[in-house]
Amino acid sequence: HVQLVESGGASVQAGGSLRLSCAHSIVSHNYEYSRRCMGWFRQAPGKEREDVARIFFSGGSRTTSNSMKVRFTISQDNADKTMTLQMRDLTPEDTATYYCVADEGVVCLTRRVDEYRSRGQGTQVTV
């Protein structure tokens, strides 16, 4: 499994922005590197898990909902070994614990993000 450490969660006012980061241990020169994927899902108290976005190390990304698509941007930096989720125009509905996840291969496309097999401890976002 991949080691994942999230950071950046905080309390912000509605309309504000946050940048979540996830440091990972994925080795860039490994031949399996292009098969890797990472993502974010969130869970609010009393609510079901919700996929937020995923990114493929082979290129490309996918954001789950139209609302998130226009407000959230997922990216991955090979050099820093960090995946980020830039969020803007936050609303109280975005309040949740955000989890960084990772996996590889066909799972990247066939499974929900919250089913990816490596997961961080989560970081709290409160709006």
Side-chain angles (χ1 to χ4, degrees):
H1 284 280
V2 176
Q3 293 182 335
L4 303 169
V5 179
E6 303 102 329
S7 61
S11 295
V12 296
Q13 293 185 345
S17 299
L18 273 179
R19 183 182 177 91
L20 304 183
S21 295
C22 177
H24 64 78
S25 61
I26 297 172
V27 179
S28 62
H29 64 264
N30 188 306
Y31 76 98
E32 295 181 339
Y33 185 79
S34 64
R35 300 176 68 245
R36 296 281 192 174
C37 56
M38 296 184 70
W40 295 90
F41 75 90
R42 66 187 184 184
Q43 188 165 26
K47 294 186 178 181
E48 294 186 353
R49 294 174 180 173
E50 181 179 23
D51 285 359
V52 174
R54 68 186 77 190
I55 190 164
F56 309 104
F57 282 29
S58 60
S61 64
R62 190 179 297 175
T63 307
T64 301
S65 73
N66 288 332
S67 170
M68 296 180 193
K69 194 172 297 184
V70 298
R71 299 185 298 121
F72 295 178
T73 301
I74 187 172
S75 61
Q76 203 281 132
D77 187 307
N78 293 341
D80 290 344
K81 298 178 68 174
T82 301
M83 180 186 65
T84 61
L85 183 69
Q86 181 69 49
M87 305 185 293
R88 63 178 178 86
D89 297 329
L90 289 165
T91 73
E93 288 68 38
D94 295 314
T95 296
T97 301
Y98 285 69
Y99 294 89
C100 170
V101 292
D103 215 308
E104 62 179 306
V106 66
V107 171
C108 293
L109 290 171
T110 61
R111 294 293 183 92
R112 290 172 50 91
V113 172
D114 67 350
E115 294 176 320
Y116 285 6
R117 289 169 289 185
S118 296
R119 180 185 305 175
Q121 294 299 309
T123 186
Q124 178 66 36
V125 172
T126 303
V127 184

